Amino acid sequence: MTADLDNSGSPGHRCGYVAIVGRPNVGKSTLLNKLIGQKVSITSRKSQTTRHRINGILTDAESQFIFVDTPGFQTLHTNRLNSEMNRVVTQSMRDVDAVIFVIEAMHFDDRDKKVIRLLPADRPVILAVNKIDRMADKSQLLPFLEKMAKEFAFAAIVPVSAEQGTQVPALIGAVRPYLPHNPPLFVEDEITDRDERFIAAELIREKLFRLLGEEIPYSTSVVIDQFTMEGELRKIHASIIVDKANQKAIVIGKGGEKLKLIAMTARKDMEESFGGKVYLNVWVKVKSGWADDAQVLKSLGYE
C-alpha cells in the first residue's frame, strides 16, 4: 500500500494558521520576524505598534506555518480604533488552528490575565515566555514556568528570546504537531500575504513610533495616496494623518527636519524590503477625531 501524496509532493505535509497574541509590548512582532527570518511586521518599544492582522509565512520541508501577528490587546485606550484592534485579536483566535500566547518572562499581571480569558478552549495554545535573555537570575525561570502551567491548560510552554532567536526552533517544533495535514497554501518563497502598498504604510508608521515622543504616535496613522511603478522605480506618495494642528507641527519638526528623517529612514527600509529604488513623498494632514471615525477607520483597513 502506498502513502497518499498531497500537493506538496510529500506524505503528511502540514499547513495551518497560527495566531500570535498577547498584551502590548511583549515582543509579538519581533517574534514573528524571527520565526519568518525576515522583517514582515513593524516593531518599536511602544505599545500599539501593530494595529492590523499581519500574516507571516514560514515554509520548510515538512510544513507551512501561516503566523498571524495580532495587535496587542488594548486595556487602556478606549476609542473606536482600539475597539477594532481588540476585535481583530478575538476574531483571529477563532480563525486559526493553533495559538501562541506571548508573555514576558517574570512578568504576569492583570493585562495578561485579560488575554488568557480570551484564549480558545477548543484549540491548542502554546505559551511562549519571551525575553529570557533579559533575566538577571535564570534560576527563577523554572518556578515561573511552573506557576504559568497552573494558569491555563497550555499544550506546551517554551521559554524564548525573540530578539536573540533563542529557542525559536523549539517553539516551531512545539507548534508543528498541531497543524492539520494540508498542502501548502502559498508558494515556497512567499513570506507574507500583505502587498507592498500596505508594507510601505506600516514602515512609515513604524518611524512615527520610533522617532516621535510618547503620545504623538497614538494620534497618527498613514495613508498611501499613490503607489506606482516607473520601470524599476517605486513612486510612493503618502499622508500622515494627525488629530490636531499642533501635532502636525511636531511631526514636521523645525525646518521640516523631523519629517525628512521619518521619510528618509522609511524609504531606506522600503528599498531593502522591496529590493529596488523608491521615491517617497510624505505629507502631514490634520483630521480631527479620525480614531473614532468609522468611515476613516474603514479607509485605513478596518471593517
Side-chain angles (χ1 to χ4, degrees):
M1 182 177 178
T2 58
D4 292 332
L5 295 182
D6 57 34
N7 292 348
S8 70
S10 61
H13 187 276
R14 294 180 181 271
C15 176
Y17 285 83
V18 183
I20 303 174
V21 304
R23 64 171 170 82
N25 213 27
V26 293
K28 297 182 300 298
S29 295
T30 302
L31 179 60
L32 173 66
N33 292 337
K34 190 63 70 171
L35 286 163
I36 302 306
Q38 195 168 327
K39 183 173 182 175
V40 295
S41 191
I42 66 173
T43 62
S44 84
R45 295 187 182 277
K46 298 183 178 76
S47 62
Q48 208 203 81
T49 307
T50 301
R51 288 179 179 168
H52 294 271
R53 166 178 169 149
I54 300 169
N55 289 350
I57 304 158
L58 170 65
T59 304
D60 60 23
E62 304 170 57
S63 314
Q64 186 172 86
F65 302 77
I66 304 154
F67 293 108
V68 183
D69 185 20
T70 63
F73 191 80
Q74 305 296 312
T75 59
L76 298 178
H77 306 282
T78 57
N79 58 26
R80 186 186 290 266
L81 170 63
N82 294 113
S83 297
E84 286 298 317
M85 288 163 60
N86 286 348
R87 184 188 61 78
V88 170
V89 177
T90 54
Q91 180 64 44
S92 294
M93 285 191 284
R94 289 197 292 266
D95 294 342
V96 296
D97 302 293
V99 175
I100 296 175
F101 174 42
V102 186
I103 64 170
E104 187 175 345
M106 309 312 298
H107 295 277
F108 181 74
D109 58 30
D110 288 341
R111 296 170 297 169
D112 300 292
K113 291 179 180 179
K114 287 180 180 178
V115 183
I116 275 191
R117 288 197 285 270
L118 300 173
L119 294 175
D122 59 346
R123 62 209 66 200
V125 178
I126 293 87
L127 177 65
V129 180
N130 193 22
K131 304 185 183 181
I132 59 171
D133 54 308
R134 302 185 187 180
M135 292 182 60
D137 183 0
K138 298 293 194 292
S139 68
Q140 296 180 7
L141 180 58
L142 184 57
F144 181 75
L145 299 182
E146 291 173 345
K147 171 189 170 185
M148 291 308 306
K150 299 175 183 177
E151 294 288 339
F152 188 85
F154 295 110
I157 299 177
V158 185
V160 301
S161 168
E163 199 167 77
Q164 302 294 327
T166 308
Q167 287 275 96
V168 169
L171 180 61
I172 292 170
V175 174
R176 191 189 309 274
Y178 299 106
L179 299 183
H181 290 282
N182 284 321
L185 295 174
F186 299 91
V187 297
E188 187 175 344
D189 60 352
E190 282 190 87
I191 61 167
T192 182
D193 64 343
R194 288 294 195 170
D195 61 19
E196 290 186 353
R197 190 183 187 102
F198 174 86
I199 292 170
E202 288 289 277
L203 289 173
I204 296 170
R205 199 165 62 79
E206 178 184 62
K207 303 307 174 283
L208 299 176
F209 273 82
R210 290 191 171 189
L211 298 174
L212 298 176
E214 287 298 315
E215 295 301 322
I216 296 297
Y218 298 101
S219 301
T220 64
S221 194
V222 177
V223 175
I224 302 300
D225 302 308
Q226 188 177 347
F227 192 122
T228 58
M229 294 290 297
E230 293 187 4
E232 296 298 314
L233 176 68
R234 292 164 175 82
K235 296 191 72 172
I236 303 171
H237 296 262
S239 297
I240 297 171
I241 310 299
V242 298
D243 196 53
K244 300 173 183 177
N246 67 326
Q247 294 168 343
K248 178 178 179 178
I250 293 171
V251 174
I252 293 173
K254 186 176 181 180
E257 290 303 312
K258 183 65 73 173
L259 184 59
K260 288 177 185 176
L261 181 60
I262 290 167
M264 179 189 70
T265 53
R267 178 182 56 78
K268 287 182 177 179
D269 276 5
M270 288 178 199
E271 290 181 341
E272 183 178 343
S273 180
F274 302 154
K277 288 292 184 181
V278 171
Y279 167 83
L280 177 62
N281 189 9
V282 183
W283 298 86
V284 185
K285 300 177 181 178
V286 179
K287 187 166 186 62
S288 299
W290 70 266
D292 275 313
D293 189 319
Q295 189 171 357
V296 173
L297 292 177
K298 186 174 183 179
S299 73
L300 294 173
Y302 297 97
E303 296 303 327

